[in-house]
Amino acid sequence: MSVFDQLGAGRDAVRLWFAPDRVQEEGETPDYRFSLANERTFLAWIRTALALIGGGFAVDQFLTDHLTHWARVALSLALLAGGVACTLRAVNHWVRCERAMRRGANLPVSRFPAVLAALVAVIAVAMVALVLFGWAG
């Protein structure tokens, strides 16, 4: 598959985010419990994204006297980027799982949970270091 084919497939996948009726046209309707479980997983990812975004704003707004500007901005942007990634991953994973269930295929695998966990761990270690060493501006 060429790069242009991959870009076209990616564009079509993003279009499905906004056209759930097209997803329903594929395959057979799965047991509704599986679709509802998929939706609950989607909502859990959205809650995670909101927590990361809220944490990013909290670091930026409330740690002004405790961190240097660069440390506050770096931590805030890392948390905000994690939140953005979670929102995009949530809808993409929901569509991929729904399509797989309708087709009777294996559910898609993803490295995203491991990447997110590593990102949060790095941010947590950085925050521990900032607290221990008191890097104030």
Side-chain angles (χ1 to χ4, degrees):
M1 179 181 275
S2 74
V3 172
F4 293 111
D5 291 337
Q6 290 175 353
L7 289 174
R11 186 179 60 243
D12 291 339
V14 170
R15 286 183 183 154
L16 288 176
W17 295 1
F18 303 100
D21 54 327
R22 285 189 45 211
V23 173
Q24 288 183 340
E25 294 171 0
E26 292 188 35
E28 297 177 13
T29 302
D31 185 336
Y32 70 91
R33 293 174 292 184
F34 299 123
S35 290
L36 292 174
N38 189 28
E39 186 174 340
R40 285 190 301 273
T41 303
F42 167 78
L43 293 172
W45 280 107
I46 294 297
R47 284 190 302 272
T48 301
L50 288 171
L52 290 168
I53 291 167
F57 281 116
V59 165
D60 183 57
Q61 294 298 309
F62 299 117
L63 297 181
T64 56
D65 295 336
H66 304 289
L67 299 177
T68 61
H69 176 72
W70 70 265
R72 194 176 74 244
V73 168
L75 288 173
S76 295
L77 289 177
L79 289 166
L80 292 169
V84 169
C86 273
T87 59
L88 297 175
R89 194 267 185 197
V91 69
N92 185 53
H93 190 72
W94 176 83
V95 168
R96 291 174 57 211
C97 286
E98 196 65 30
R99 292 177 78 195
M101 287 187 299
R102 297 187 72 78
R103 294 174 176 169
N106 291 333
L107 292 178
V109 296
S110 175
R111 291 185 187 99
F112 187 80
V115 171
L116 180 63
L119 173 70
V120 170
V122 167
I123 292 169
V125 167
M127 292 181 89
V128 166
L130 290 171
V131 168
L132 286 177
F133 300 114
W135 292 342

